[in-house]
């Protein structure tokens, strides 16, 4: 017989306690109750619970104290906070103190049931084998080891996580790992590139639309939130969200429900929000280009993925992993890097991080015939070009002071685009020109002007 699961319910209002006991009871949980922080503490000393639900305002203190107590002394027990409707601060505070989720008052029973289900799934997930994805996020350096530990911790929570890091460092891989190691692993993972959706379609993409709600809406269409129901929505390049959309998104996240374009009613959705950008979001907030309230809401937990040059010790192992994967896909023997090649990689600054390393190794594999790759096989951009070759146009911003002069900003973009196209086309100028959509002569002119040889 399966063990009966138990929950502790903390609220000073009797009606609410009864409602919660009844709802959880119908889900097969045995419930204890407490009406104050003191009572909750003594219950927690006597029993082990599979879940704790606590109100915020209690006669002898705050529910936050219970949350901190549990996350320090009984970390195996997921605790969720019941907050006043629309009280973003309380919800965020609870999540920061270690609550795995929150539910707004008046409690929507559907939302509550989803929350309970996730809390219980969580313990299953902890037992399940999650090596598969985690091992893909390779890295033995102290920075990566500690990142993986943090991921394991935040995966147990339902709190929004904001993933910061340069281009190509593995932000999406981190998001996928958080999803795969958490209670939502069996639900969908829906990545969305916020910079790629035209702003006029954004609301309908996110929230869906009803048939006939605008020209071209021939049928009902579910939005990304509905597609991610029960799982995770990954807002990639979140800095690109237009301001009006930020308001709507904040509302959906806060109220856990969405209204499709042309619909009369809201529908509850159960989605965990992860987000990422290679831009400095706090700086954008300071400049008024990203809403402070949304920033505050999605950035409850912040993870920073370190650039490759801060974890040079990972280079040999990571390169071997990547080479192994590439060679296997092509049915070739796995090549190794000689000492000179490893040394050359350690000296290279990797502005494009792991993605760039993948590209470099893929090219080396395609061009080299032996099974030992040398520094020459890597064709790393030369030293004096480093600072220029490393520019990723997506990292540039005309409003940045460092690139304030428009002509030099445009030049940097051109240079990065040309250098990238040259690499992609293995330095064949005819094909590079084609790829860039310019004539051979125009390319030759630009190469000269920009001093690229
Ligand atoms: N630690 C790692 N171990 C193995 N592969 C990795 C690691 N980090 C990144 N990668 C690989 O590098 C590539 C880039 O990773 P990912 O797309 O997650 O980066 P990103 O930070 O989202 O990039 P961008 O800023 O361009 O969106 C992917 O192919 C990913 O699998
Ligand atoms: Mg990405």
């Amino acid at each position: 017989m399966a063990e009966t699961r138990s929950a502790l319910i903390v609220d000073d209002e009797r009606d609410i306690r009864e409602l919660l006991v009844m709802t959880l009871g119908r889900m097969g949980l045995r419930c204890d109750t407490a009406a104050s922080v003191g009572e909750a503490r003594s219950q927690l000393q006597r029993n082990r619970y599979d879940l704790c639900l606590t109100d915020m305002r209690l006669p002898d203190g705050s529910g936050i104290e219970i949350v901190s107590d549990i996350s320090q002394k009984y970390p195996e027990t997921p605790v969720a906070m019941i907050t006043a409707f629309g009280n973003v601060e309380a919800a965020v505070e609870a999540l920061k103190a270690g609550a795995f989720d929150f539910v707004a008052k008046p409690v929507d029973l559907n939302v509550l049931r989803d929350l309970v289900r996730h809390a219980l799934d969580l313990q299953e997930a902890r037992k399940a084998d999650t090596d598969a994805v985690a091992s893909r996020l390779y890295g033995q350096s102290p920075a990566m080891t500690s990142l993986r530990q943090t991921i394991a911790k935040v995966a147990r929570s339902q709190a929004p996580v904001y993933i910061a890091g340069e281009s190509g460092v593995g932000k999406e891989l981190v998001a996928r790992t958080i999803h795969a190691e958490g209670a939502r692993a069996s639900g969908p993972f829906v990545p969305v590139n916020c910079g790629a959706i035209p702003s006029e379609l954004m609301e309908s993409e996110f929230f869906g639309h009803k048939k006939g709600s605008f020209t071209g809406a021939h049928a009902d269409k579910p939005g990304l939130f509905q597609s991610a129901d029960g799982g995770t929505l990954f807002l990639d390049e979140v800095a690109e969200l237009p301001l009006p959309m930020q308001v709507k998104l904040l509302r959906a996240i806060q109220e856990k429900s969405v209204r499709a374009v042309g619909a009369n009613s809201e529908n509850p959705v159960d989605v965990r929000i992860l987000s990422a950008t290679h831009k400095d979001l706090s700086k954008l907030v300071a400049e008024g280009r990203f809403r402070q309230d949304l920033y505050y809401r999605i950035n409850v937990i912040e993870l920073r993925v370190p650039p490759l040059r801060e974890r040079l010790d990972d280079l040999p192992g990571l390169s071997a992993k990547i080479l192994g994967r590439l060679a296997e896909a092509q049915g070739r023997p796995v090549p190794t890097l000689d000492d000179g090649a490893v040394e050359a990689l350690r000296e290279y600054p990797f502005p494009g991080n792991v993605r760039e390393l993948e590209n470099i190794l893929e090219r080396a594999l395609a061009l080299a015939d032996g099974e030992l790759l040398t520094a020459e096989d890597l064709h790393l951009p030369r030293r004096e070009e480093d600072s220029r070759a490393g520019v990723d146009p997506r990292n540039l911003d005309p409003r940045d002071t460092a690139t304030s002069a428009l002509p030099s900003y445009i030049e940097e973009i051109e240079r990065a685009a040309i250098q990238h196209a040259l690499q992609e086309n293995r330095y064949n100028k005819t094909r590079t020109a084609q790829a860039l959509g310019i004539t051979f002569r125009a390319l030759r002119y630009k190469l000269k002007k920009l001093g690229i040889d």
Side-chain angles (χ1 to χ4, degrees):
M1 201 183 79
E3 232 180 295
T4 309
R5 317 269 214 145
S6 60
L8 175 65
I9 289 163
V10 191
D11 202 306
D12 55 342
E13 277 176 70
R14 206 174 116 211
D15 290 352
I16 296 194
R17 284 201 304 270
E18 281 173 2
L19 174 71
L20 297 177
V21 169
M22 199 170 73
T23 310
L24 269 58
R26 289 210 178 116
M27 297 179 78
L29 280 104
R30 188 187 61 73
C31 297
D32 289 340
T33 60
S36 65
V37 176
E39 275 180 46
R41 283 198 172 124
S42 57
Q43 295 274 38
L44 284 163
Q45 269 171 13
R46 284 197 299 270
N47 305 295
R48 286 286 157 276
Y49 295 101
D50 296 295
L51 167 68
C52 173
L53 280 179
T54 177
D55 193 13
M56 181 88 181
R57 221 171 297 156
L58 293 163
D60 57 342
S62 155
I64 296 283
E65 298 169 43
I66 300 179
V67 172
S68 326
D69 252 30
I70 292 182
S71 47
Q72 277 160 32
K73 294 188 203 148
Y74 322 104
E76 294 307 305
T77 304
V79 48
M81 174 73 84
I82 306 166
T83 57
F85 186 77
N87 188 344
V88 189
E89 258 116 80
V92 169
E93 202 191 335
L95 293 171
K96 289 202 162 151
F100 88 99
D101 206 356
F102 71 94
V103 55
K105 256 185 204 172
V107 176
D108 176 330
L109 292 184
N110 283 320
V111 172
L112 178 66
R113 279 189 281 262
D114 281 336
L115 183 152
V116 172
R117 202 164 37 76
H118 285 309
L120 302 180
D121 281 357
L122 198 57
Q123 296 183 317
E124 296 297 316
R126 263 178 238 176
K127 291 174 205 142
D129 183 13
T130 48
D131 279 358
V133 196
S135 65
R136 281 176 39 206
L137 187 69
Y138 175 86
Q140 308 299 323
S141 59
M144 285 306 282
T145 309
S146 114
L147 179 65
R148 265 200 310 274
Q149 281 165 357
T150 314
I151 289 174
K153 235 186 273 165
V154 305
R156 302 202 301 243
S157 156
Q158 301 293 314
V161 180
Y162 165 67
I163 305 161
E166 293 177 10
S167 251
V169 277
K171 296 185 293 296
E172 177 157 355
L173 192 54
V174 166
R176 287 184 186 275
T177 311
I178 293 173
H179 171 78
E181 288 189 14
R184 294 170 176 267
S186 59
F189 176 88
V190 178
V192 39
N193 183 339
C194 299
I197 308 174
S199 52
E200 66 277 13
L201 292 182
M202 220 164 225
E203 187 172 357
S204 137
E205 283 294 315
F206 272 101
F207 307 132
H209 63 246
K210 291 305 220 184
K211 180 179 174 179
S213 54
F214 54 85
T215 354
H218 298 302
D220 287 4
K221 184 176 167 284
L224 293 160
F225 269 88
Q226 288 95 334
S227 308
D229 203 8
T232 303
L233 184 60
F234 174 50
L235 304 175
D236 203 0
E237 305 303 349
V238 69
E240 309 306 322
L241 282 173
L243 285 164
M245 193 58 207
Q246 292 178 19
V247 182
K248 293 184 173 139
L249 203 63
L250 176 65
R251 200 168 168 275
I253 296 172
Q254 189 54 29
E255 295 177 11
K256 299 190 178 183
S257 70
V258 295
R259 182 199 296 263
V261 177
N264 307 319
S265 58
E266 301 245 328
N267 274 319
V269 283
D270 165 34
V271 166
R272 182 178 192 187
I273 303 286
L274 304 180
S275 56
T277 169
H278 62 279
K279 293 195 174 159
D280 182 348
L281 210 50
S282 59
K283 188 166 153 238
L284 297 184
V285 170
E287 290 166 358
R289 282 147 64 195
F290 198 86
R291 287 185 64 103
Q292 165 113 46
D293 47 10
L294 181 62
Y295 174 66
Y296 185 58
R297 195 68 194 79
I298 60 177
N299 178 27
V300 170
I301 298 173
E302 179 167 336
L303 288 189
R304 178 174 171 272
V305 189
L308 204 46
R309 62 185 170 280
E310 282 178 22
R311 40 178 161 120
L312 290 177
D313 291 345
D314 284 341
L315 264 177
L318 186 56
S319 304
K321 282 251 175 226
I322 294 170
L323 283 172
R325 178 160 50 76
L326 292 170
E328 199 180 313
Q330 300 172 17
R332 293 173 52 166
V334 183
T336 46
L337 297 171
D338 74 6
D339 291 348
V342 172
E343 203 38 50
L345 286 176
R346 291 181 74 96
E347 308 233 304
Y348 182 65
F350 284 106
N353 292 291
V354 186
R355 177 170 301 110
E356 186 178 16
L357 176 64
E358 283 179 343
N359 290 341
I360 288 169
L361 293 175
E362 190 170 3
R363 185 181 56 210
L365 193 65
L367 297 181
D369 8 66
E371 281 174 34
L372 195 64
L373 301 178
T374 64
E376 285 75 61
D377 292 326
L378 298 175
H379 293 282
L380 294 173
R382 280 188 300 120
R383 215 54 193 132
E384 58 271 29
E385 286 173 13
D386 281 352
S387 58
R388 295 166 166 186
V391 175
D392 178 337
R394 292 173 305 168
N395 283 340
L396 286 176
D397 188 320
R399 288 163 285 202
D400 282 348
T401 44
T403 51
S404 57
L406 187 61
S408 80
Y409 170 67
I410 293 171
E411 271 191 11
E412 290 294 281
I413 292 184
E414 276 192 314
R415 189 192 310 279
I418 292 173
Q419 229 130 16
H420 180 73
L422 278 169
Q423 283 181 10
E424 292 283 289
N425 293 285
R426 303 197 190 133
Y427 301 89
N428 175 322
K429 287 189 191 144
T430 313
R431 276 197 315 212
T432 302
Q434 271 167 6
L436 290 167
I438 56 178
T439 62
F440 181 78
R441 279 185 53 172
L443 176 65
R444 212 172 45 191
Y445 167 73
K446 282 186 188 296
L447 289 175
K448 218 171 141 197
K449 187 182 97 183
L450 298 169
I452 305 173
D453 57 17

